[in-house]
Amino acid sequence: MLGIVALRFRRSGAAGVLLFGIVGAVSATSRPDSTSIADALPSVVGAIAGAAVLYVLVGRLTRRAPSAEPVGGEREDPPSGAGWDRRGFVIAATAAAAASAGAGVLGRTLNSASGQNAVASRNKLVLPRPASAAAAIPRGAQLRIPGISPFTTPNSSFYRVDTALVVPKVNAATWRLRIHGTGVRRPVTLTFDDLLRRELIERDITLTCVSNEVGGPYVGNARWIGVRLAELLAECGVRPPSKGGSADQLVARSVDGMTIGSPVEDVMDGRDALLALGMNGEPLPFAHGFPVRMVVPGLYGFVSACKWIKDIELTTFDSYDPYWVKRGWARKAPIKTESRIDTPSRSPGPAPGR
């Protein structure tokens, strides 16, 4: 559409491309994780390049002005099509297409290489046996009834709710986790191997989304392997508010820009809040946060279940609103007990004679 407009209004078409870039730049800087005006640069640079290409190409299609000094005193009309700089247009368009294709190939190559390294890091990972294994599933927990959901949700069936348009693929070998902020007396940056060397525990923990409807699919139970988050925070000098700590909110940041805020008191009250490395006996699937994610029992996912985690900042609820809170959701969200009927049966109806 802008190309058609530019054929008659060359500058307006180019300005339209720039406008799209401005919209993209504003969107980039308004993201919860945006900390610098540099976040707008990709949109701005792309818009300038697009506007310049459109302006040049349309210029090549502009009919040349007739000669000011007609030959023989008469102005001759140019032959059909002679007023269009076809050769210049073809050269410019070919150059622009080649540059775009080259940039695309380069981008895909870099992304492919990064993704392959991440896949390789997961494939070679062997999780250590947990020092504290989960209790055996009680007999009768899995009923033999057609249609009933399993006690342990398979990884392939476990629900996924996030804002990532493309699932991040993070290389465990280069992954880092920074813990810092208010009340952190000993900030630390951890590698994946640092976590593997710590004591691992295994627990059955149910996760659910706050938007799950009655009978909905956004709930699942898995056997998670990970590091106790409370112990890690305590080693960094963090204390919960009930014990004089100055931070009441833990803000987890994901590699895709998501921010999730959890109550420090809940994370450190004795429940098995985890930095999870494994799910149902295998390394985390990419779709569920590989290499590391947070899992906090008793809290809805939007205040606890940060996938692809890369940063933990201790702060306060008064000083920072994470992604969902900025959109009107609650700061604290303990799970409300609910039940589900997987296989409802028909009522037998009233007894005969009644």
Side-chain angles (χ1 to χ4, degrees):
M1 178 62 73
L2 288 175
I4 296 175
V5 171
L7 287 174
R8 296 192 61 185
F9 307 101
R10 187 178 175 191
R11 293 180 180 177
S12 297
V17 176
L18 289 175
L19 180 60
F20 276 106
I22 293 173
V23 172
V26 171
S27 299
T29 55
S30 64
R31 288 177 54 175
D33 64 315
S34 177
T35 58
S36 169
I37 193 67
D39 294 331
L41 285 180
S43 297
V44 172
V45 172
I48 292 175
V53 169
L54 180 63
Y55 190 84
V56 170
L57 290 180
V58 171
R60 294 293 183 177
L61 290 176
T62 302
R63 185 179 294 274
R64 298 190 187 97
S67 173
E69 298 294 334
V71 179
E74 295 182 3
R75 188 182 304 275
E76 296 181 357
D77 292 332
S80 177
W84 302 94
D85 187 3
R86 293 182 176 179
R87 184 171 180 272
F89 174 80
V90 170
I91 292 174
T94 301
S100 298
V105 170
L106 177 61
R108 287 192 296 270
T109 300
L110 293 175
N111 287 336
S112 177
S114 176
Q116 289 174 2
N117 291 335
V119 171
S121 72
R122 184 179 184 275
N123 288 342
K124 71 178 184 181
L125 175 61
V126 177
L127 292 174
R129 293 179 62 87
S132 174
I137 299 175
R139 294 184 61 182
Q142 182 60 62
L143 302 176
R144 297 182 178 178
I145 299 176
I148 196 170
S149 58
F151 180 82
T152 300
T153 308
N155 291 352
S156 59
S157 303
F158 207 94
Y159 79 94
R160 175 191 165 204
V161 175
D162 53 58
T163 60
L165 298 179
V166 177
V167 174
K169 290 188 176 180
V170 182
N171 188 344
T174 58
W175 173 86
R176 298 292 184 272
L177 174 67
R178 181 187 177 206
I179 301 177
H180 62 106
T182 303
V184 179
R185 289 180 288 176
R186 293 175 291 278
V188 66
T189 298
L190 300 167
T191 67
F192 191 77
D193 286 341
D194 289 335
L195 295 185
L196 286 178
R197 286 191 288 265
R198 298 181 66 89
E199 181 181 83
L200 301 182
I201 67 172
E202 181 184 59
R203 295 292 184 267
D204 291 320
I205 299 174
T206 299
L207 298 183
T208 185
C209 178
V210 69
S211 61
N212 190 46
E213 299 178 350
V214 175
Y218 301 131
V219 60
N221 183 61
R223 181 157 285 194
W224 307 90
I225 294 177
V227 174
R228 286 188 176 95
L229 180 54
E231 289 184 1
L232 192 56
L233 294 175
E235 292 175 13
C236 293
V238 177
R239 291 181 296 171
S242 61
K243 295 183 179 181
S246 54
D248 59 7
Q249 179 179 208
L250 180 157
V251 176
R253 290 183 171 85
S254 169
V255 299
D256 73 333
M258 172 58 71
T259 54
I260 289 180
S262 307
V264 174
E265 193 69 45
D266 291 353
V267 171
M268 302 186 72
D269 67 358
R271 69 185 74 192
D272 290 317
L274 300 179
L275 286 178
L277 317 178
M279 181 180 183
N280 291 332
E282 65 178 72
L284 290 172
F286 286 107
H288 294 288
F290 182 84
V292 183
R293 67 171 293 166
M294 270 182 59
V295 176
V296 183
L299 298 179
Y300 284 114
F302 81 97
V303 296
S304 66
C306 183
K307 292 184 282 191
W308 316 293
I309 190 172
K310 70 169 186 176
D311 185 276
I312 292 177
E313 180 182 3
L314 278 297
T315 182
T316 64
F317 285 108
D318 289 337
S319 61
Y320 185 81
D321 287 337
Y323 182 87
W324 288 113
V325 174
K326 288 183 178 180
R327 287 153 178 79
W329 294 73
R331 291 176 171 177
K332 303 177 182 180
I335 293 176
K336 298 180 179 179
T337 302
E338 62 182 53
S339 61
R340 186 175 80 190
I341 300 174
D342 281 335
T343 56
S345 61
R346 294 182 179 181
S347 171
R354 292 189 180 180

